[in-house]
Amino acid sequence: MEQSYITQTSGIGMKDKLGYAFGDLASCLIFGLTQSVLNKYYTDVLEISVLSVMVMTIVARVWDAVNDPIWGRIIDGAKKYPDGRYRHWIKVFAVPTALAAVLMFLDVRGFSAGGLIAWIYFTYILFGMLYTCINIPYGSLAQVITSDDKERSSLSVFRSVGSTFGAMPAMVLASMCYVTLSDGRKVMDQTRVLVGAGAIAALSVVFYLLHYAWTKERVDTRHAPREKGQTAKVVKTLLRSRPFMAVSLASMFYLAAQMFGQGYNSYLFHHYFNKPGLTMLPTVFQYLPVAVIMFFATKLGNRYGRREVCSAGILLAAVFYIALFVLSIFGITPVWLYLAACLMSGIGTAFIFLLVWVLATDAIDYNKVTYGLNDEATSYAFYTFMRKLGTTVATVLINVPLLRIGYNGSELRTEGLSTQALESMYHFSVIIPAALFLLVYLILRFMYPLSKRRTEELQAQKEAMLRAQP
């Protein structure tokens, strides 16, 4: 009996799964620095105002709106290299991306005010561009490692597990980068941050190279035509694709909630709980359920539907944060309760955390079957840009509350925070994730159309399309 095309271009093993996981582990090692450490480094060490940080991230996203689709088109139109259409770029950009991450943490306190702002703009945007250069081909790689949707679901789980381990070192650094002054105050130390960032960046290169060595491109792809206006044509198609826009928006708001917690907790635990050494625990507790759920997330997603389990889980997470807010109205805000809620909400968010990437590949498959869109890298560039918007939303949501409570951008000027300001700091820490998680639930439940039944139909349509290709 003749094998199906999907069967011929599948059959991944543990080496592929680990190799793919190592790619996101490497990316999250350096990306975690920007989310867990960089905002507080800017405000407390370089003494840059929170307003300036917000404006910088917005400017960077405006540039990404131009840069990301261009890079996606370059990859789609490039020839296939001997080591693969996408793997090739991992090898090229691993070291430059790691170096750019370290540049953001150099000691430039001797610069003039204008020079300081120019430096953070240059290094932040440079890192973002190089991260795009490596992240777009990495994300696109899932389309060519295997064409089987169940194997892609497994890759999504391993990718998410890789990102969990990748995020940990930056969180450890965020908790251990403080020194105690003679008057007893704890402040972020520039030298510790720089050394930690350098070690994390070097480690990212090691895992990028392991990712390159342990993955294989099985699905043959053709380079997209270099036609005038092709980028605009692809973007217009993506904008009218309901599954693709839904998963892009859901991913954007979910990442905003995730990154908000990682960045805002460094302020919350430093000032509200007065326990900066515990900064990493909320994120650790949210990730702990992943260690259990990863073993059956794929099976549950295949049985009940990936959209179905992700939307139910994210609603559960929202409920726990709403409960924290209600309790805070009555003055019930012990640190153990906050950490317990993080652990319980982590059970709900674990499903979308583990399966969001396969939701995206399902949407890209939908575009291929429905619109004949074969521009995988450009599609993933757009998706990556939407996720970057999520980090910008997180930055705004971190810094607007700080502005409202009078945080002036320097550890030396925050000793006078009032009780009311500290209570507001806590309220923001729970109501913002609750609102974002509810928004993600609504998008998945009512906007994303690829239910279990529709996904099975899509797989059959994809098989017929692939067989018809010459």
Side-chain angles (χ1 to χ4, degrees):
M1 183 176 179
E2 183 183 1
Q3 284 188 323
S4 69
Y5 183 89
I6 291 177
T7 302
Q8 295 174 35
T9 53
S10 57
I12 62 174
M14 183 56 66
K15 186 175 181 180
D16 293 277
K17 295 175 184 179
L18 288 175
Y20 196 65
F22 287 157
D24 213 36
L25 192 159
S27 291
C28 287
L29 280 168
I30 48 179
F31 187 71
L33 289 171
T34 68
Q35 300 309 308
S36 298
V37 183
L38 189 62
N39 200 99
K40 204 161 195 294
Y41 179 78
Y42 282 158
T43 58
D44 286 21
V45 176
L46 299 186
E47 298 189 17
I48 298 169
S49 71
V50 292
L51 182 60
S52 295
V53 175
M54 282 195 300
V55 171
M56 180 194 69
T57 58
I58 293 170
V59 170
R61 293 300 83 80
V62 171
W63 169 243
D64 284 337
V66 177
N67 174 66
D68 288 13
I70 290 176
W71 183 240
R73 289 302 305 154
I74 289 173
I75 294 176
D76 276 330
K79 66 179 182 179
K80 184 175 181 180
Y81 292 89
D83 51 356
R85 179 172 298 282
Y86 303 117
R87 290 173 63 251
H88 170 80
W89 302 104
I90 305 297
K91 177 180 64 177
V92 171
F93 286 105
V95 173
T97 306
L99 291 175
V102 177
L103 285 178
M104 294 187 292
F105 297 97
L106 293 182
D107 190 355
V108 291
R109 287 173 289 184
F111 284 14
S112 65
L116 191 62
I117 294 296
W119 175 257
I120 68 167
Y121 268 77
F122 168 72
T123 53
Y124 185 77
I125 292 175
L126 175 65
F127 171 76
M129 290 176 63
L130 288 171
Y131 185 79
T132 293
C133 289
I134 203 166
N135 198 47
I136 289 175
Y138 168 71
S140 303
L141 193 61
Q143 300 288 130
V144 296
I145 289 180
T146 176
S147 58
D148 183 85
D149 73 320
K150 292 182 175 60
E151 290 187 347
R152 287 179 180 178
S153 182
S154 179
L155 285 178
S156 178
V157 169
F158 272 81
R159 173 175 184 163
S160 299
V161 172
S163 71
T164 300
F165 286 102
M168 293 299 176
M171 289 187 288
V172 172
L173 179 60
S175 298
M176 300 180 63
C177 63
Y178 292 90
V179 294
T180 303
L181 301 181
S182 57
D183 59 4
R185 288 182 297 113
K186 295 181 178 180
V187 299
M188 182 176 275
D189 180 63
Q190 192 278 332
T191 301
R192 290 191 180 190
V193 172
L194 180 60
V195 172
I200 289 170
L203 198 58
S204 76
V205 175
V206 173
F207 282 105
Y208 271 134
L209 295 180
L210 282 172
H211 160 70
Y212 172 82
W214 286 16
T215 51
K216 176 182 178 182
E217 297 188 16
R218 292 174 175 79
V219 182
D220 190 27
T221 56
R222 303 173 182 177
H223 69 275
R226 294 179 180 269
E227 299 175 359
K228 185 177 180 180
Q230 180 66 12
T231 300
K233 179 181 177 182
V234 172
V235 171
K236 287 180 182 177
T237 302
L238 296 176
L239 288 173
R240 76 171 188 261
S241 169
R242 184 176 165 188
F244 187 82
M245 288 307 301
V247 73
S248 296
L249 289 170
S251 189
M252 180 182 79
F253 289 119
Y254 168 65
L255 188 66
Q258 189 181 29
M259 296 299 100
F260 169 81
Q262 291 183 20
Y264 195 75
N265 281 333
S266 62
Y267 297 95
L268 183 72
F269 275 72
H270 193 167
H271 299 289
Y272 184 80
F273 291 124
N274 195 28
K275 297 180 183 296
L278 302 182
T279 296
M280 67 177 289
L281 286 186
T283 307
V284 171
F285 279 24
Q286 285 186 322
Y287 282 155
L288 278 177
V290 172
V292 177
I293 294 174
M294 61 175 283
F295 292 106
F296 53 87
T298 298
K299 292 180 180 178
L300 286 177
N302 292 338
R303 181 173 181 179
Y304 298 106
R306 293 185 277 270
R307 181 192 72 172
E308 289 79 0
V309 296
C310 289
S311 59
I314 206 75
L315 180 61
L316 177 67
V319 167
F320 280 106
Y321 276 101
I322 292 171
L324 280 181
F325 179 72
V326 172
L327 290 172
S328 71
I329 295 174
F330 299 98
I332 304 173
T333 61
V335 66
W336 66 263
L337 180 65
Y338 185 86
L339 292 174
C342 288
L343 178 64
M344 298 305 295
S345 70
I347 297 173
T349 59
F351 291 98
I352 189 170
F353 177 75
L354 291 165
L355 298 175
V356 67
W357 301 107
V358 74
L359 293 178
T361 55
D362 286 343
I364 292 175
D365 279 348
Y366 174 90
N367 293 341
K368 185 178 295 187
V369 170
T370 306
Y371 303 114
L373 194 65
N374 292 309
D375 305 67
E376 287 92 350
T378 306
S379 299
Y380 195 78
F382 186 95
Y383 179 69
T384 298
F385 171 69
M386 293 295 288
R387 286 178 62 83
K388 284 185 179 180
L389 283 182
T391 67
T392 303
V393 171
T395 301
V396 172
L397 292 176
I398 289 169
N399 288 292
V400 166
L402 295 178
L403 283 172
R404 287 180 62 86
I405 66 175
Y407 195 96
N408 292 317
S410 170
E411 169 64 22
L412 300 178
R413 296 197 292 269
T414 58
E415 301 304 312
L417 290 177
S418 66
T419 301
Q420 182 180 5
L422 291 173
E423 289 176 353
S424 295
M425 177 179 281
Y426 183 87
H427 289 156
F428 283 123
S429 75
V430 294
I431 200 62
I432 288 176
L436 290 171
F437 287 152
L438 280 175
L439 188 55
V440 174
Y441 166 75
L442 292 173
I443 292 170
L444 289 178
R445 182 66 182 83
F446 299 106
M447 183 178 175
Y448 185 77
L450 299 182
S451 62
K452 180 179 185 294
R453 180 183 62 82
R454 184 66 187 93
T455 303
E456 291 171 349
E457 294 172 353
L458 180 64
Q459 188 75 353
Q461 291 173 318
K462 184 176 71 172
E463 169 66 25
M465 184 194 71
L466 292 173
R467 277 185 172 278
Q469 290 181 350

